[in-house]
Amino acid sequence: MKLFHPEHRRALEVFYGPEQTAYSEVLELLAGKLESIVPMSARFDSEGGGISASRRLLFGQGLCRMPFASHGGLSLPFGVYCLAMELTGAADAPTAMSLGIHNTVAECVHAHGTEFQKRDVFEKLISGDRLASFALTEPSSGSDARSMRTTAKRNGSSYTISGTKTFITNAGEADVYLVFAGSEGGHSAFLVNRDAPGLSVGADIPKLGMRGSRTAEVVLDGCEVPRENLVGEEGKAFEYVKGLLNGSRVIMGSICVGIALAAYRNAVAYARERRLFDRALSDMQMTREKVANMRSGITSSRTMCLYASRLKESGADYASEAAQAKVIATETAASICDQAIQLFGGYGYTNSDVHRHWRDARLLTIGEGASEVLRLLIANKELGMAS
Ligand SMILES: Cc1cc2nc3c(=O)[nH]c(=O)nc-3n(C[C@H](O)[C@H](O)[C@H](O)COP(=O)(O)OP(=O)(O)OC[C@H]3O[C@@H](n4cnc5c(N)ncnc54)[C@H](O)[C@@H]3O)c2cc1C
């Protein structure tokens, strides 16, 4: 199965002009590596568990380095990184999600960390030597993250963190956790090593999709971390989170474009081959309507993600466009995967390859800003109201 297609080259040409040749080469090379995990995706889904060694190897092959401009980053435009995440999503969505979250932690350290944290943590994250988790959500606070109960109390040269985080991707496998906690003067972010005394990880949380990545609770029971592990300034974590989530929303949208593309290609191949009433399914007019809608949904979602990426690259405020890209791409992907199941008929309901795409896509209208929350953000910007 080829992952890099002329439609990707064309999108690069439209958004990046003559530079597209170099970017296409990078993405084509990456797609070749990603193709090796496509045949294993169904097994990752049925066996569950975490990011296996074969997938961790991909993290070290340039994928994590792409969007960063120093300390070993490749300085590639954010839109090129988005297309790389789309290709990863098409190959195996849980790998893409795990990687997207890992890189959000890397971005936080790159943007706000000390020089020591950049050398000691960031460089090891983007080389794929260490894996990261982003620990914000709690059992009683998801969308309303500011109401978190986890606290960080300063005692001289260290902080004591206590609280419970839930739904944490890469938990149990991560070498480092970016933990958010209420501290003096607001919320703060801390790097907590996996072996920090007081940190423990619960059992894997069973879930509908994204089963090839691990999700678990992380408990911090009087977990002591040195002051040097505070990322950025005390009390500023939500300022940082706002910026980080804009980028990661575009990434989650791009992953959904990849999932939708995989489901679409699968369904179109089947519609060409399946015969009923003496004709191919693809010859039926209502099938063609589905094909046209699915195709248009993929192109418009990708275009929106690349548009938001170009705004990010230009340094403009792109919070609304990032939210729009995520709402459009994630909801469109869920609908495209649903139509793919319909095209497969009874086989769509029973063949795990097709419903896996739908199960994977379904998460992303919830995580990293649920659609309702993002619609509020978009409308509030339009109406000049505070978010
Ligand atoms: C598989 C998986 C992986 C995850 N990975 C991570 C991770 O790595 N790190 C992390 O920190 N978190 C992670 N999460 C948590 C995820 O970000 C939250 O589930 C999400 O933010 C929603 O929070 P909640 O589940 O508490 O739902 P709630 O916030 O309780 O929302 C419940 C419902 O209310 C809706 N809603 C919210 N606000 C409004 C409003 N103003 N008006 C109307 N409706 C509203 C929501 O859209 C939703 O439909 C993960 C979750 C899952 C399932």
Side-chain angles (χ1 to χ4, degrees), residues 117-189:
Q117 288 168 348
K118 285 179 198 171
R119 273 185 278 112
D120 190 50
V121 180
F122 172 79
E123 289 181 8
K124 290 175 186 141
L125 294 182
I126 65 163
S127 65
D129 291 335
R130 296 177 83 187
L131 182 67
S133 266
F134 185 86
L136 176 68
T137 304
E138 300 187 0
S140 61
S141 63
S143 308
D144 182 15
R146 284 177 195 269
S147 68
M148 71 172 67
R149 293 182 183 167
T150 299
T151 55
K153 293 213 161 52
R154 196 151 106 198
N155 332 291
S157 62
S158 65
Y159 286 89
T160 306
I161 307 179
S162 297
T164 300
K165 299 292 178 180
T166 194
F167 293 144
I168 305 306
T169 302
N170 298 334
E173 294 182 295
D175 302 287
V176 63
Y177 295 81
L178 184 67
V179 174
F180 295 86
S183 61
E184 252 173 61
H187 295 91
S188 303

Side-chain angles (χ1 to χ4, degrees), residues 86-378:
E86 179 192 317
L87 298 175
T88 314
D92 181 60
T95 303
M97 187 180 73
S98 164
L99 175 71
I101 289 172
H102 165 89
N103 257 14
T104 300
V105 176
E107 189 179 347
C108 185
V109 181
H110 187 255
H112 308 291
T114 59
E115 189 53 35
F116 175 75
Q117 288 168 348
K118 285 179 198 171
R119 273 185 278 112
D120 190 50
V121 180
F122 172 79
E123 289 181 8
K124 290 175 186 141
L125 294 182
I126 65 163
S127 65
D129 291 335
R130 296 177 83 187
L131 182 67
S133 266
F134 185 86
L136 176 68
T137 304
E138 300 187 0
S140 61
S141 63
S143 308
D144 182 15
R146 284 177 195 269
S147 68
M148 71 172 67
R149 293 182 183 167
T150 299
T151 55
K153 293 213 161 52
R154 196 151 106 198
N155 332 291
S157 62
S158 65
Y159 286 89
T160 306
I161 307 179
S162 297
T164 300
K165 299 292 178 180
T166 194
F167 293 144
I168 305 306
T169 302
N170 298 334
E173 294 182 295
D175 302 287
V176 63
Y177 295 81
L178 184 67
V179 174
F180 295 86
S183 61
E184 252 173 61
H187 295 91
S188 303
F190 300 89
L191 290 165
V192 183
N193 286 327
R194 65 180 305 159
D195 53 6
L199 183 144
S200 61
V201 175
D204 218 352
I205 300 173
K207 50 193 191 284
L208 177 72
M210 293 288 190
R211 291 181 179 166
S213 79
R214 236 192 132 206
T215 312
E217 204 168 73
V218 175
V219 178
L220 300 125
D221 182 10
C223 179
E224 202 164 304
V225 297
R227 212 172 150 192
E228 304 86 82
N229 290 23
L230 170 72
V231 180
E233 288 177 47
E234 196 171 348
K236 292 258 173 86
F238 274 104
E239 238 174 74
Y240 306 156
V241 166
K242 261 188 165 177
L244 291 172
L245 288 185
N246 288 335
S248 69
R249 283 171 185 157
V250 185
I251 292 304
M252 294 301 151
S254 298
I255 293 173
C256 272
V257 179
I259 301 172
L261 196 55
Y264 167 74
R265 290 206 182 114
N266 212 343
V268 166
Y270 182 77
R272 284 210 170 102
E273 173 189 295
R274 177 73 173 173
R275 295 198 66 81
L276 57 172
F277 305 109
D278 285 334
R279 291 152 79 190
L281 176 59
S282 56
D283 284 346
M284 314 285 188
Q285 204 163 17
M286 275 189 270
T287 303
R288 290 168 172 214
E289 184 197 18
K290 284 193 183 69
V291 170
N293 289 344
M294 292 161 96
R295 178 67 265 175
S296 313
I298 290 164
T299 309
S300 57
S301 299
R302 179 187 297 127
T303 304
M304 191 62 219
C305 290
L306 287 174
Y307 174 61
S309 298
R310 291 298 271 162
L311 288 175
K312 175 173 162 67
E313 289 161 22
S314 74
D317 172 5
Y318 72 114
S320 175
E321 288 78 4
Q324 293 171 46
K326 182 170 182 282
V327 170
I328 290 172
T330 56
E331 293 185 357
T332 302
S335 152
I336 289 175
C337 295
D338 184 65
Q339 290 176 63
I341 294 174
Q342 190 72 15
L343 281 171
F344 269 88
Y347 297 100
Y349 199 74
T350 54
N351 170 339
S352 66
D353 264 352
V354 196
H355 62 66
R356 172 167 48 84
H357 295 310
W358 179 82
R359 289 187 284 106
D360 289 346
R362 192 62 192 80
L363 168 68
L364 295 171
T365 60
I366 300 169
E368 305 259 344
S371 289
E372 290 81 354
V373 174
L374 298 182
R375 283 196 165 87
L376 278 180
L377 184 157
I378 298 163

Side-chain angles (χ1 to χ4, degrees), residues 3-17:
L3 291 172
F4 186 81
H5 282 255
E7 65 187 273
H8 294 115
R9 197 182 294 279
R10 209 158 154 202
L12 283 168
E13 213 170 311
V14 170
F15 281 93
Y16 293 98

